[in-house]
Amino acid sequence: MAANGVVSDKSLIVSFGEMLIDFVPTVSGVSLAEAPGFLKAPGGAPANVAIAVARLGGKASFVGKLGDDEFGHMLADILKQNGVSGDGILFDQGARTALAFVTLRADGEREFMFYRNPSADMLLKPEELNLDLIRSSKVFHYGSISLIVEPCRSAHLKAMEVAKGAGALLSYDPNLRLPLWPSADEARKQILSIWDKADIVKVSDVELEFLTGSNKVDDETAMKLWRPNFTLLLVTLGEKGSRYYTKNFRGAVDAFHVNTVDTTGAGDSFVGALLCKIVENPTILEDEAKLREVLKFANACGAITTTKKGAIPALPTEADALALINGA
């Protein structure tokens, strides 16, 4: 038992940040203005990661604030229905749940228009955090959207500090959404302001270029983002797979080729799979052969997620991922 009287759960992955509703056009390849109608798709990267973990049989909890409205309660229910603990969920009486209108271009990539002025997730205060839950995590995962404005930014920094103090591994996926930031420079500055604190960092090829100012996605560019205290740095390359960097080794793992319909949630699925496997066996971070197996599994999970519309319905089970690996 931990000193605070809470049983320390060494398999719990706590995901911190925003959960929102994406409104996705009923037809692909049109602008938002041209869309004849929209479907509700629950999302928000940290929430997607929590559900990805639970879908793979891991233990997940989400910490964040939703509006005390129909959409907020719907999202809380979706977390619970998907096996994610709701102990860290709060409701704000004064602000609405965040919304995003997302258009899927003909190539499956996305464009966003956000309604957050302010939304409930931005109003999470440090004193509202469930610190016992955060202290009980084995891995504490977060993005950068929660750094954009106060008071959520202070809550984010406090939660990281408490998790780190309790011995959790800190996992960071910046999940860049430029339209939400006042400027590109501010986004870069704030995303990098907490860079050194993480143990595990995952960036996409686009984020790598954005954060380094380079137009090359290679080892030299990736190493500009490496810090001595990191355990693992990952660069995801979409259909080209992923690259990994640790203190002792580096390399690349190929992607699985599938019929891509919608890339939403693929990165979150990859992260959830990776964190699940690290919690099961932390020694994979020291063993290149084991790490490569885990990244192959994470790549398979990411690939499967692109084969259906929407993030949450498309997140795979372990059996789905193994079927793709064994069938490839």
Side-chain angles (χ1 to χ4, degrees):
M1 189 167 280
N4 57 16
V6 169
V7 177
S8 187
D9 186 334
K10 282 303 147 210
S11 65
L12 179 66
I13 296 167
V14 172
S15 208
F16 174 92
E18 70 286 346
M19 187 174 193
L20 61 145
I21 297 179
D22 287 340
F23 283 86
V24 185
T26 48
V27 294
S28 296
V30 296
S31 69
L32 292 175
E34 292 162 346
F38 295 90
L39 292 170
K40 299 198 302 282
N48 291 343
V49 169
I51 293 174
V53 166
R55 184 100 21 112
L56 291 167
K59 210 166 169 201
S61 194
F62 175 76
V63 173
K65 205 172 201 189
L66 299 165
D68 190 5
D69 51 40
E70 279 209 33
F71 285 159
H73 290 283
M74 178 192 103
L75 292 176
D77 286 345
I78 285 167
L79 286 169
K80 287 172 197 151
Q81 285 159 16
N82 282 281
V84 175
S85 143
D87 295 346
I89 299 172
L90 294 148
F91 292 96
D92 195 281
Q93 260 80 49
R96 293 284 188 218
T97 301
L99 308 178
F101 285 82
V102 185
T103 173
L104 279 180
R105 298 203 311 252
D107 61 359
E109 285 300 323
R110 297 159 298 161
E111 289 168 4
F112 294 89
M113 183 166 78
F114 291 93
Y115 284 71
R116 297 171 87 237
N117 46 345
S119 54
D121 58 286
M122 299 157 75
L123 301 178
L124 178 63
K125 300 185 187 86
E127 60 270 22
E128 293 175 319
L129 291 167
N130 181 339
L131 297 180
D132 287 344
L133 175 67
I134 292 165
R135 282 189 194 102
S136 68
S137 61
K138 170 83 173 175
V139 174
F140 183 72
H141 176 74
Y142 48 89
S144 70
I145 288 172
S146 38
L147 294 173
I148 300 174
V149 290
E150 292 292 0
C152 187
R153 178 182 163 81
S154 291
H156 180 140
L157 298 175
K158 168 86 173 172
M160 274 172 57
E161 182 192 324
V162 167
K164 189 83 172 173
L169 272 175
L170 298 194
S171 161
Y172 185 19
D173 175 359
N175 201 43
L176 178 68
R177 294 282 178 269
L178 263 181
L180 292 177
W181 291 90
S183 69
D185 286 345
E186 181 70 4
R188 197 176 289 107
K189 180 180 151 200
Q190 295 304 341
I191 287 169
L192 292 172
S193 71
I194 59 167
W195 206 252
D196 303 4
K197 303 264 197 283
D199 298 294
I200 298 164
V201 170
K202 173 248 158 192
V203 291
S204 68
D205 43 5
V206 174
E207 289 159 349
L208 175 65
E209 290 176 330
F210 175 78
L211 292 169
T212 58
S214 168
N215 57 2
K216 282 212 230 29
V217 178
D218 56 14
D219 289 348
E220 191 184 342
T221 308
M223 287 311 287
K224 290 181 185 168
L225 293 181
W226 175 262
R227 298 294 182 271
N229 57 294
F230 281 7
T231 310
L232 178 62
L233 171 66
L234 293 158
V235 181
T236 54
L237 307 164
E239 63 208 25
K240 299 197 187 85
S242 52
R243 294 183 190 210
Y244 57 90
Y245 304 86
T246 75
K247 288 183 180 69
N248 302 317
F249 47 81
R250 62 172 68 165
V253 180
D254 289 338
F256 290 88
H257 292 286
V258 291
N259 181 21
T260 294
V261 174
D262 175 7
T263 56
T264 309
D268 305 325
S269 181
F270 175 92
V271 170
L274 171 78
L275 297 181
C276 257
K277 294 298 180 188
I278 288 172
V279 162
E280 275 175 29
N281 180 7
T283 66
I284 65 161
L285 295 165
E286 324 283 322
D287 180 329
E288 187 168 15
K290 281 187 193 159
L291 180 64
R292 289 183 65 85
E293 280 302 303
V294 166
L295 291 175
K296 188 174 170 183
F297 178 77
N299 281 353
C301 289
I304 291 166
T305 309
T306 71
T307 61
K308 287 191 207 161
K309 272 195 177 181
I312 292 169
L315 295 168
T317 61
E318 178 128 3
D320 295 333
L322 293 176
L324 178 61
I325 292 166
N326 296 329

